[in-house]
Amino acid sequence: MIMSPITNVKRSPLSQNTVLTVNNNDNNNGNSPGKRSSQELEPERSSKRVCRLSPTQSKGKFVSDLKIAVVCSSNQNRSMEAHNLLKKRGFKVESFGTGSCVKLPGATIDKPNVYSFNTSYDEQIPRFKRKKDQVFYTQNGLLNMLDRNRRIKPKPERFQDNRDEFDLVITCQERVFDQVLEDLSERGSSTCKMVHVINVEIRDNHDDATLGAFVIHELVKAICSASDQRSRNGRNFGKNGEKEEPTFFIILLRFIEN
């Protein structure tokens, strides 16, 4: 069965305009949050904000059967932060980017470091460890981020090049959300499997990625709990006993600071 085109995708009436408010006193300077590019990993941000949480599940066991994908632009910061946390909390999770290439901040905003998605994290690290650059990239947290990434998987992955099917896809930016929907509608499916696609808007810097990962974790826990309850109640069928038609379930969440 081929998935419906984007124009026919159903949006959840419950949560289209939901706003998640997260207090972040360390960052609160009174300015309104604005959109930032994927290159803006801010140099003044602490390099210590990468999640370092101990696993809560036994090795080899998952807390839910749901297969989860977290997607940002370059599969470096936001999606990997959430991947790291969800994996340590026992969820079956993978992460991806949707960009045409991987972009990391350079010494100046107009000169980013650009890689293909086939470039492993280990191959990326030496460029940032050159003598003249190492202090700068250590202070802005980029080397710490890459070291975390290589401990999770060998290299960044592009969502459009992956053909695995997921129960839940969480994006970290509205543009990425649109790219995921476009790819899902074009690839189609022969399994009639339902996929939930949710966007949690997260600015691309280390602190917001850390806070956003916790928001995603709480969201995933709630969804998994609802999914388990639905399964126990046998509510996979409509009121007339007919199997429900698979569709996209979409929730738009905007992650902001007070």
Side-chain angles (χ1 to χ4, degrees):
M1 176 176 180
I2 303 300
M3 293 182 180
S4 303
I6 294 175
T7 54
N8 293 329
V9 170
K10 295 181 181 179
R11 295 178 179 263
S12 169
L14 179 63
S15 309
Q16 285 185 9
N17 298 310
T18 301
V19 175
L20 293 183
T21 303
V22 178
N23 290 324
N24 183 10
N25 295 328
D26 294 336
N27 270 343
N28 189 6
N29 55 13
N31 295 328
S32 299
K35 290 187 176 180
R36 304 184 185 184
S37 69
S38 61
Q39 302 170 14
E40 293 185 66
L41 298 177
E42 299 177 0
E44 69 272 18
R45 300 286 186 173
S46 169
S47 62
K48 300 179 180 179
R49 292 301 296 272
V50 175
C51 288
R52 301 291 187 190
L53 299 178
S54 300
T56 58
Q57 85 290 353
S58 301
K59 186 175 180 181
K61 296 182 179 180
F62 297 104
V63 298
S64 172
D65 291 332
L66 292 182
K67 191 173 182 181
I68 303 164
V70 186
V71 191
C72 67
S73 180
S74 293
N75 197 200
Q76 292 279 2
N77 182 36
R78 296 165 292 181
S79 62
M80 289 299 290
E81 188 74 36
H83 185 162
N84 186 41
L85 178 57
L86 292 175
K87 181 179 179 182
K88 289 184 174 182
R89 291 307 192 203
F91 292 97
K92 192 183 303 183
V93 60
E94 296 182 40
S95 61
F96 304 93
T98 58
S100 58
C101 58
V102 173
K103 290 184 180 180
L104 291 172
T108 59
I109 193 170
D110 60 330
K111 293 182 179 179
N113 292 284
V114 180
Y115 301 92
S116 72
F117 274 91
N118 290 324
T119 306
S120 70
Y121 295 116
D122 283 333
E123 291 177 287
Q124 295 171 29
I125 289 175
R127 177 182 294 189
F128 302 104
K129 281 192 171 182
R130 291 179 299 196
K131 187 175 182 180
K132 65 175 183 177
D133 298 327
Q134 185 166 0
V135 173
F136 173 76
Y137 289 118
T138 299
Q139 289 177 344
N140 75 359
L142 193 145
L143 279 172
N144 189 40
M145 180 188 75
L146 290 175
D147 182 60
R148 175 207 60 199
N149 292 352
R150 71 182 180 86
R151 295 173 188 272
I152 299 173
K153 63 181 187 178
K155 63 182 180 181
E157 298 174 86
R158 191 165 182 262
F159 184 80
Q160 294 91 328
D161 297 334
N162 183 279
R163 285 298 176 264
D164 292 341
E165 292 189 341
F166 297 93
D167 302 296
L168 174 63
V169 179
I170 300 176
T171 62
C172 303
Q173 186 177 344
E174 190 169 350
R175 177 173 57 85
V176 175
F177 173 83
D178 292 336
Q179 290 171 329
V180 166
L181 287 185
E182 181 179 4
D183 180 69
L184 289 176
S185 65
E186 289 178 352
R187 72 169 66 174
S189 174
S190 59
T191 62
C192 298
K193 187 175 182 179
M194 181 185 295
V195 56
H196 296 67
V197 184
I198 302 175
N199 183 62
V200 179
E201 193 75 17
I202 304 172
R203 294 188 297 180
D204 195 3
N205 59 65
H206 295 306
D207 283 3
D208 287 331
T210 300
L211 291 172
F214 282 101
V215 172
I216 289 174
H217 176 238
E218 291 302 313
L219 176 63
V220 168
K221 284 200 303 181
I223 291 172
C224 289
S225 176
S227 176
D228 291 342
Q229 182 65 36
R230 180 186 179 93
S231 178
R232 286 195 296 269
N233 293 341
R235 294 174 60 191
N236 293 321
F237 293 85
K239 293 181 179 180
N240 297 324
E242 297 179 356
K243 192 170 183 179
E244 294 177 347
E245 182 181 354
T247 183
F248 294 115
F249 278 72
I250 303 168
I251 308 172
L252 289 173
L253 305 178
R254 186 167 295 277
F255 165 52
I256 63 174
E257 298 170 349
N258 274 342

